[in-house]
């Protein structure tokens, strides 16, 4: 609601109406700082879209500008960048401080990949993927000499 009062445009996806506490999937176009939708994690069917018109000063300045815009929040679960420039995308992924980063993709979880947060969005420990399983498991090392003979019960 506060984003709409700051000129964001709402586009609701076509979805069957339901009663109760139901929030239809919603795109917030033209989201701009300091809108809460850009600074807080909603965990709902809400996607704020912020267009960044980066300065035309060159690649490093464009990446820095985008990373600073995305990093203007204490939360760092995911970031998504949409571009046709693969060099820009690679530099953005290297510099952005989030647990998960998407390039021309958004909010898709793969069981093979670690789902991790950073900042106030998590402690860096992941879920899913091999590292996630390791993080949520206790391991035990057992060393056994091949010279051991099986223990047999004593006869009485």
């Amino acid at each position: 609601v506060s984003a709409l009062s700051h000129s964001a445009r709402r586009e609701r996806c076509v979805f069957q109406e339901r009663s109760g506490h139901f929030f239809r999937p919603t795109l917030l176009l033209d989201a701009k700082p300091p809108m809460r939708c850009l600074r807080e994690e909603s965990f709902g069917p809400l996607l704020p879209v912020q267009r960044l018109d980066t300065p035309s000063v060159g690649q490093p300045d464009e990446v820095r500008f985008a990373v600073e815009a995305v990093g203007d929040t204490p939360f760092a679960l995911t970031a998504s960048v949409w571009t046709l420039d693969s060099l820009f995308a690679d530099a953005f992924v290297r510099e952005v401080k989030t647990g998960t980063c998407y390039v021309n993709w958004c909010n898709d979880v793969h069981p093979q990949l670690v789902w991790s947060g950073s900042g106030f969005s998590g402690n860096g420990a992941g879920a899913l993927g091999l590292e996630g399983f390791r993080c949520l498991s206790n391991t035990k090392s057992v060393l056994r000499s091949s010279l051991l003979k099986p223990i047999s019960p004593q006869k009485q």
Side-chain angles (χ1 to χ4, degrees):
V1 173
S2 71
L4 296 175
S5 68
H6 287 91
S7 75
R9 293 182 296 129
R10 174 177 52 206
E11 296 292 328
R12 289 193 172 175
C13 300
V14 177
F15 208 87
Q16 181 180 356
E17 288 292 334
R18 296 184 186 172
S19 61
H21 300 286
F22 178 76
F23 186 82
R24 288 192 294 174
T26 301
L27 290 173
L28 282 175
L29 304 176
D30 302 325
K32 296 175 181 65
M35 293 178 183
R36 288 176 55 196
C37 63
L38 291 175
R39 299 189 44 77
E40 297 178 5
E41 294 178 328
S42 65
F43 292 105
L46 176 69
L47 179 62
V49 177
Q50 179 182 13
R51 179 185 172 106
L52 296 176
D53 293 316
T54 58
S56 304
V57 187
Q59 187 78 9
D61 288 335
E62 290 176 339
V63 171
R64 184 175 40 79
F65 182 79
V67 167
E68 286 175 3
V70 169
D72 187 27
T73 175
F75 301 100
L77 185 59
T78 63
S80 177
V81 63
W82 297 76
T83 181
L84 297 176
D85 184 339
S86 64
L87 293 176
F88 177 89
D90 291 344
F92 180 86
V93 168
R94 270 193 312 275
E95 297 298 321
V96 73
K97 304 294 184 228
T98 59
T100 301
C101 188
Y102 298 98
V103 178
N104 298 337
W105 201 268
C106 187
N107 283 356
D108 191 10
V109 179
H110 294 277
Q112 302 92 331
L113 300 176
V114 175
W115 181 256
S116 174
S118 187
F120 286 4
S121 296
N123 60 7
L128 303 177
L130 185 57
E131 287 186 36
F133 288 117
R134 286 183 182 145
C135 186
L136 300 171
S137 302
N138 292 319
T139 57
K140 179 186 284 188
S141 296
V142 176
L143 301 172
R144 175 170 237 179
S145 168
S146 61
L147 299 176
L148 287 178
K149 294 182 181 179
I151 299 174
S152 58
Q154 290 184 355
K155 295 182 181 179
Q156 295 206 1

